[in-house]
Amino acid sequence: LLMEQFTGMDQLEKQLASLFSIERCLIVSGNSDEQGKVIGEFGELVDEALQRQLPDGRNIIAVMGGTTMAEVARHVSPLETAKRHNLFVPARGGIGEAVSIQANSVSALMAANAHGEHRALYVPEQLSEEAYHTLLKEPSIRSVLAMIKEANCVVHSIGRALHMAARRKMSEDEIIRLKQKNAVAESFGYFFDENGAIVHKVPRIGLSLEDIQKMPTVLAVAGGKSKVKAITAYMKNAPKQTWLITDEAAANEILKGI
Ligand code: F6P
């Protein structure tokens, strides 16, 4: 029976990877909306993927924030070897999250668990255009930004557009515009409609979607029935080398919809 279950999941993983034209898909059984432990299992798969995918030499791993990523970070294990050294950086400057789920905190936790190094990116949330441009000239900020741009791996989640807009306290006007443009997904501070087209971009520093296109290792982690629309929309234009780590509930629902 166990073998059959494995084969069934294997089939599902292949179908989903081919649907999205991405390199790989890994599916955890269950539904992360209802079972918290499923997100812990995403974390274990991220850990395994990093162990296998990160080459020897110096790696720079860019990490996004969010509740999924915060839990994933708890499951990362030591990644350092005599030949492999890892530096973790937040993928983007603050985008309005609570401290414990900000990319800075999540990447710091991942670095600690991986026995790697960490650099934080200190950019406050509420800044005038002018102050923002002045900050960008700061050597300490410039050096972290340069590292982020050199990252060879990124780990991120995918969120529901309106949920993320509310959580990040975007203005009423912005939320109305997101609704008018039928935004359903958010990742990296970009909002996407059902076709995977970008409909809004939060002006913040760090990785851009363009940077991610050429990155050798891209791990996207998101599951639960509630995120089906978001996952489907974002994955339409995701970089081909992406590995999607999701759960059975989302996978079945996505495949039912085609
Ligand atoms: O902010 C980073 C991020 O990973 C986004 O890419 C995504 O939209 C969001 O977090 C998901 O948040 P959560 O894991 O809490 O659903």
Side-chain angles (χ1 to χ4, degrees):
L1 183 69
L2 209 57
M3 269 314 283
E4 267 173 38
Q5 282 175 351
F6 274 131
T7 335
M9 204 62 106
D10 209 53
Q11 282 303 320
L12 211 55
E13 289 175 342
K14 291 208 171 92
Q15 278 177 42
L16 208 55
S18 108
L19 173 70
F20 293 138
S21 308
I22 53 169
E23 196 171 302
R24 261 196 97 162
C25 181
L26 299 170
I27 301 171
V28 172
S29 54
N31 179 359
S32 56
D33 283 341
E34 286 154 15
Q35 303 148 283
K37 72 169 177 36
V38 172
I39 302 178
E41 288 169 40
F42 292 163
E44 283 160 28
L45 290 178
V46 166
D47 182 48
E48 270 173 50
L50 292 174
Q51 298 286 356
R52 282 173 42 187
Q53 294 268 95
L54 291 176
D56 284 343
R58 186 169 185 265
N59 295 297
I60 301 182
I61 300 119
V63 179
M64 283 299 295
T67 58
T68 311
M69 289 302 305
E71 180 61 23
V72 162
R74 297 184 54 227
H75 296 267
V76 167
S77 65
L79 289 163
E80 294 285 306
T81 68
K83 290 188 188 153
R84 183 167 73 182
H85 302 292
N86 309 299
L87 169 70
F88 293 79
V89 288
R92 289 177 65 101
I95 36 181
E97 298 278 28
V99 175
S100 63
I101 61 169
Q102 275 171 15
N104 265 330
S105 323
V106 176
S107 55
L109 178 60
M110 244 194 223
N113 287 341
H115 296 177
E117 283 178 71
H118 179 249
R119 295 279 181 285
L121 182 64
Y122 294 112
V123 189
E125 287 303 328
Q126 304 300 335
L127 273 187
S128 65
E129 275 293 304
E130 203 189 334
Y132 185 77
H133 288 292
T134 312
L135 258 188
L136 284 186
K137 290 185 195 132
E138 270 304 307
S140 62
I141 289 177
R142 288 180 80 109
S143 81
V144 181
L145 278 179
M147 289 172 195
I148 294 173
K149 293 282 178 189
E150 269 176 53
N152 58 325
C153 171
V154 62
V155 193
H156 71 95
S157 186
I158 303 160
R160 289 166 288 158
L162 299 179
H163 176 85
M164 294 308 297
R167 195 166 93 188
R168 291 178 182 155
K169 301 192 173 57
M170 285 170 71
S171 72
E172 286 280 319
D173 277 1
E174 281 175 309
I175 294 181
I176 290 171
R177 257 175 278 137
L178 285 177
K179 284 184 185 160
Q180 283 168 344
K181 292 179 176 168
N182 298 318
V184 292
E186 188 277 349
S187 201
F188 300 104
Y190 294 80
F191 287 84
F192 306 84
D193 67 13
E194 249 164 350
N195 301 316
I198 299 169
V199 294
H200 180 70
K201 188 180 158 192
V202 179
R204 284 293 181 271
I205 53 174
L207 272 194
S208 67
L209 272 189
E210 225 182 352
D211 299 324
I212 296 150
Q213 303 305 318
K214 325 160 233 156
M215 226 177 259
T217 305
V218 180
L219 306 179
V221 192
K225 263 195 186 172
S226 63
K227 282 193 177 182
V228 164
K229 270 193 179 173
I231 297 170
T232 310
Y234 173 79
M235 292 312 296
K236 286 206 169 133
N237 291 319
K240 299 301 163 218
Q241 70 277 26
T242 301
W243 284 28
L244 171 66
I245 297 171
T246 190
D247 58 27
E248 215 181 347
N252 281 327
E253 196 74 9
I254 292 168
L255 290 165
K256 228 174 27 185
I258 57 172

